[in-house]
Amino acid sequence: MPHPIMFSDDDPVLIRLREVALAFPDATEVVAHGRPTFRGGKMFGMYGGGVKGGPQFETSLLFKVEETDRAALEQDARFFYPAYVGPYGWLGLDLSKKPDWREVAELLDASYRLIAPKKLIARLDDGERPAELR
């Protein structure tokens, strides 16, 4: 049985997130588990998520994070430990209150660098990146 779709294509936050995420080299969008995911081979971002047994953040970004950065980010109330993917090095950022798109781009950049092959990271370093990072 397929997962129900848990997003709307006309969601303005998702539209903006797509612009940022799909500006990374060879980035694609794939709907998985009913949510948009962004991939550069492997997944580096997902739209929407929640805390296991807790609140849902339908307008949020899930991203991979360096373990050394996790503690600092978790001190900020906008970040949460997402169900299912949290144990695999992911955090969530609530985007429901006027997101800072440069911050979003920086988080996606760090996440992308954790999963992308060297040839894609080289393209990123050569300037093929979201406008927010130029």
Side-chain angles (χ1 to χ4, degrees):
M1 179 168 168
H3 286 277
I5 298 298
M6 295 183 273
F7 65 96
S8 174
D9 275 324
D10 63 355
D11 174 344
V13 175
L14 175 56
I15 290 168
R16 184 73 180 96
L17 182 60
R18 280 182 172 133
E19 291 172 4
V20 176
L22 296 176
F24 287 90
D26 288 354
T28 60
E29 180 180 340
V30 175
V31 175
H33 306 288
R35 299 190 181 278
T37 65
F38 303 101
R39 299 162 187 253
K42 296 178 184 177
M43 188 168 66
F44 68 95
M46 177 185 286
Y47 186 65
V51 176
K52 188 171 184 179
Q56 294 299 302
F57 298 93
E58 299 306 325
T59 305
S60 66
L61 167 66
L62 287 95
F63 59 95
K64 287 191 69 73
V65 64
E66 288 274 2
E67 219 29 61
T68 55
D69 296 330
R70 177 184 292 281
L73 293 173
E74 286 178 333
Q75 299 304 309
D76 187 324
R78 298 172 303 146
F79 292 89
F80 62 94
Y81 188 79
Y84 308 109
V85 295
Y88 300 99
W90 290 73
L91 276 181
L93 169 62
D94 181 3
L95 299 175
S96 66
K97 296 177 182 91
K98 196 173 182 184
D100 174 345
W101 290 105
R102 179 161 180 82
E103 177 184 44
V104 169
E106 289 170 354
L107 294 169
L108 283 173
D109 180 78
S111 185
Y112 182 88
R113 289 174 185 276
L114 289 171
I115 62 89
K118 289 179 185 178
K119 68 179 182 172
L120 293 182
I121 293 173
R123 287 174 52 193
L124 187 62
D125 291 338
D126 286 341
E128 191 175 331
R129 58 177 38 157
E132 294 79 4
L133 297 176
R134 293 187 201 137

